[in-house]
Amino acid sequence: MSEGTKMTDASVEIQLMNGCLDSPSNENGTMDKQLEPDMKNRLAFLDGNMVPAAPSKPERGQWANKMEFLLAVAGQIIGLGNVWRFPYLCYKNGGGVFFIPYVLFLFTCGIPLFLLETSLGQYTSQGSITCWRKICPLFEGLGYGSQVVVLYSSIYYIIILAWAFFYLFSSFCSELPWANCKNSWNTESCMEFDKARGLSNLTIFENATSPVKEFWERRVLNITGSVYELGNMRWELVLCLLLSWIICYFCVWKGVKSTGKVVYFTATFPYVMLVILLVRGVTLPGAADGIKFYLYPDPARLTDPQVWMDAGTQIFYSYAICIGCLTALGSYNKYNNNCYKDCIYLCLLNSGTSFVAGFAIFSVLGFMANEQKVNISMVAESGPGLAFIAYPRAVAMMPLPQVWAICFFIMIILLGLDSQFVGLEALMTSITDMFPSFFHAGRHRRKLLLFIISVASFFIGLVMVTEGGLYIFQLFDYYACSGMTLLLFAIFQSICIGWIYGADHLYDNIEDMIGYRPLPIIKYCWKYVTPVVCSGTFVFSLIKYSPLKFNNVIAYPWWGYAIGWWFTLSSTLLVPLWMIYAVLSRPGSLQQRLQALCTPASDLPENFSKKNTIYCPPNPEHGLPPPPQTAPEAAAWNNFRDTGPL
């Protein structure tokens, strides 16, 4: 702009007050171009038809489109548990009747908490820590506790990817190394059972082991004989772990810009692999028996409380609720995104994937049982036992076993990979939102923090790729992401939103975002059903608690249980400890402190709309806004003026 055409701040302000200029943002936008940004903010108050500009904030980023959000959430919630835990729980707990408690927990806890976390993130545009700080500062400890759980999970969950990479690389051989007993790591007790059963004159020893089990225990892990022995590093696993961390780092290093692109592949390709394995599985001999074993209903199992406990914990684990990831992912949505509809679709997709995966898994297990002439219960396993023993044994019996092994382990890697790096993205979001001016101001500060977290987690994880690392892994798996911790977080969340912030209050916020109110049943779940169901499940889990035993046989020493309970309590106790700290550090009487700690922040979207109503009535003469005419208006404006960002 030339010297002759540039307007000074003073001249513009005087001309506007005298009515000589139009609104600072006219139809052609010419005036908008002439003014500096800070001048626009000041002129916003001089024109009654303009909304006061909010203070400028560092660029935070958003999803490029809705599909990126949907795929990122799908990648987070659809993971290894859908493939190796749900089908096993279904057959173990009565087949088809297991869907009764599962669906009940889905609609009373899963979907309500899923919507609660996603909508809070979208409404506040904050990660899981600062989200609770804005909604109800008394419960900010929920954010800290959930991120401790995410950090622990990130350290140990990635070990599964290292194992899967090892198996994937081992699959590129002329003969699968776990298919025979001719390898250097095999013992004299090794026996190829599928071949031995065809020979009537061959004696099967009582302590005989399968080649796939020896490959897992002696080649991959080379596990020590005692909890007290860590042994040496398994350097091949160290390299696989390093590879996993490098991939995760570059999936997250540019925030949602990189995460949103990577999930197009990592969240969709596992479905391609699942379909391939499903088609192959159902065409195998014995597949029908496996599927029947998977779904055959046993109504008597519903009387066992453990069945209901398993259904509840499966919902919490598979939906990634109460760990802050959904809040972080929702915070990158546009304000008017229909998060309610998204939540329903994603929940149905998650449960549907678990159901279909059961067909893919049990059709293959049925084939293996048919080949070995044994009952399916003898070959059905869950968790790592399914991924690294049962399924590899099954594919070794198929024609072209290398092809099916490669497909299976690629699916396992991708299912685990997106759950890992999306959780890491949620952790980064929570930290950077606590210090936005620092991390968003410098281009590489966020990347450096991510690098530090990744390197530190890698070095801590090295203890789990030693020869005794599986002992430590099971401690992390049993205690770090404890079901009791998640249940307590769910109870606290429901109480906070249902009774302190207000279920109707959040419904108003959701209506402001999507244009209508969700079904009333979800509101009543937040207030009554979810906390009652979670409390009952929590009490039952306390009654049924038993200390961890390695392979359900070997007890840990006292220091092992001490480490495990540190994992559990270091996250769980942050909620009550934060409440105590927040109350003690506030000035005023106890009632004043609690009232302040239960009051939402003044810079939430609803407060900006209230300010506009009170302070900026239409003013066609472009003069200064008139002062409030009534006492309630004046009192309301004084409150906003004193507490708001303006």
Side-chain angles (χ1 to χ4, degrees), residues 109 221 230 343 349 355 362 395 401 407 430 485 510 541 546 561:
C109 296
L221 303 177
L230 275 182
C343 289
L349 175 66
F355 179 67
F362 271 86
V395 298
C407 288
S430 298
T485 298
I510 295 175
S541 63
S546 60
Y561 294 120

Side-chain angles (χ1 to χ4, degrees), residues 67 130 132 218 252 269 307 383 404 431 468 481 640:
M67 186 57 66
T130 46
W132 291 106
R218 298 178 59 84
V252 182
F269 196 70
V307 174
W404 308 115
I431 297 174
C481 194
F640 286 116

Side-chain angles (χ1 to χ4, degrees), residues 289-331:
D289 295 331
I291 294 172
K292 179 182 178 181
F293 194 77
Y294 166 50
L295 293 177
Y296 187 78
D298 181 9
R301 295 288 292 138
L302 290 177
T303 59
D304 184 358
Q306 186 61 45
V307 174
W308 297 81
M309 178 71 181
D310 286 342
T313 53
Q314 176 63 17
I315 289 294
F316 277 86
Y317 286 135
S318 67
Y319 279 82
I321 49 183
C322 301
I323 59 174
C325 292
L326 298 175
T327 303
L329 297 176
S331 70

Side-chain angles (χ1 to χ4, degrees), residues 57-109:
K57 295 181 180 179
E59 180 62 30
R60 188 173 180 276
Q62 282 186 331
W63 301 113
N65 52 63
K66 178 190 280 286
M67 186 57 66
E68 288 187 1
F69 166 70
L70 294 175
L71 291 177
V73 177
Q76 168 65 23
I77 64 177
I78 299 172
L80 298 175
N82 297 74
V83 173
W84 73 21
R85 193 167 189 270
F86 176 85
Y88 176 81
L89 289 179
C90 196
Y91 110 82
K92 172 188 149 187
N93 292 310
V97 299
F98 180 70
F99 288 99
I100 296 175
Y102 180 83
V103 171
L104 183 64
F105 272 97
L106 172 63
F107 284 97
T108 58
C109 296

Side-chain angles (χ1 to χ4, degrees), residues 3 62 129 144 329 436 597 630:
E3 292 285 340
Q62 282 186 331
I129 296 176
Y144 293 111
L329 297 176
L597 289 170
T630 64

Side-chain angles (χ1 to χ4, degrees), residues 66-380:
K66 178 190 280 286
M67 186 57 66
E68 288 187 1
F69 166 70
L70 294 175
L71 291 177
V73 177
Q76 168 65 23
I77 64 177
I78 299 172
L80 298 175
N82 297 74
V83 173
W84 73 21
R85 193 167 189 270
F86 176 85
Y88 176 81
L89 289 179
C90 196
Y91 110 82
K92 172 188 149 187
N93 292 310
V97 299
F98 180 70
F99 288 99
I100 296 175
Y102 180 83
V103 171
L104 183 64
F105 272 97
L106 172 63
F107 284 97
T108 58
C109 296
I111 293 178
L113 290 173
F114 198 98
L115 175 62
L116 185 152
E117 295 188 29
T118 307
S119 60
L120 282 181
Q122 180 171 311
Y123 177 66
T124 61
S125 295
Q126 295 292 312
S128 63
I129 296 176
T130 46
C131 166
W132 291 106
R133 179 186 298 173
K134 288 179 176 292
I135 292 296
C136 184
L138 185 65
F139 285 82
E140 189 177 335
L142 275 171
Y144 293 111
S146 65
Q147 293 316 291
V148 170
V149 172
V150 172
L151 179 60
Y152 289 157
S153 301
S154 299
I155 292 172
Y156 90 89
Y157 189 82
I158 200 169
I159 303 298
I160 301 172
L161 297 184
W163 296 336
F165 271 118
F166 189 97
Y167 270 83
L168 177 64
F169 297 147
S170 300
S171 301
F172 290 93
C173 299
S174 58
E175 185 177 5
L176 293 179
W178 58 81
N180 60 69
C181 296
K182 304 172 185 177
N183 305 288
S184 59
W185 58 83
N186 292 127
T187 65
E188 294 180 357
S189 302
C190 180
M191 181 169 290
E192 301 174 35
F193 292 103
D194 54 320
K195 297 179 181 178
R197 294 185 189 280
L199 302 175
S200 58
N201 60 344
L202 188 63
T203 303
I204 299 179
F205 298 101
E206 185 178 347
N207 61 343
T209 57
S210 65
V212 68
K213 187 174 183 181
E214 289 199 350
F215 179 81
W216 167 244
E217 293 182 350
R218 298 178 59 84
R219 176 68 182 94
V220 180
L221 303 177
N222 195 24
I223 190 167
T224 60
S226 170
V227 179
Y228 296 93
E229 302 175 36
L230 275 182
N232 300 318
M233 288 282 185
R234 302 293 293 162
W235 291 106
E236 293 159 311
L237 288 179
V238 171
L239 294 177
C240 290
L241 179 62
L242 179 62
L243 173 63
S244 302
W245 270 114
I246 290 173
I247 294 173
C248 285
Y249 176 81
F250 285 106
C251 287
V252 182
W253 75 314
K254 288 188 176 180
V256 291
K257 292 182 180 178
S258 57
T259 304
K261 302 299 181 291
V262 174
V263 291
Y264 277 102
F265 175 73
T266 60
T268 57
F269 196 70
Y271 282 97
V272 177
M273 296 291 98
L274 184 61
V275 170
I276 292 174
L277 294 172
L278 175 63
V279 173
R280 178 55 182 155
V282 297
T283 57
L284 292 169
D289 295 331
I291 294 172
K292 179 182 178 181
F293 194 77
Y294 166 50
L295 293 177
Y296 187 78
D298 181 9
R301 295 288 292 138
L302 290 177
T303 59
D304 184 358
Q306 186 61 45
V307 174
W308 297 81
M309 178 71 181
D310 286 342
T313 53
Q314 176 63 17
I315 289 294
F316 277 86
Y317 286 135
S318 67
Y319 279 82
I321 49 183
C322 301
I323 59 174
C325 292
L326 298 175
T327 303
L329 297 176
S331 70
Y332 293 109
N333 276 335
K334 293 180 174 60
Y335 185 76
N336 293 324
N337 175 65
N338 194 330
C339 55
Y340 174 55
K341 190 179 294 184
D342 292 346
C343 289
I344 300 297
Y345 291 157
L346 286 166
C347 289
L348 294 178
L349 175 66
N350 186 24
S351 294
T353 302
S354 299
F355 179 67
V356 173
F359 288 91
I361 297 300
F362 271 86
S363 60
V364 173
L365 295 181
F367 159 73
M368 184 167 64
N370 181 67
E371 289 291 303
Q372 296 182 355
K373 308 302 180 185
V374 297
N375 190 275
I376 298 177
S377 61
M378 301 295 294
V379 298

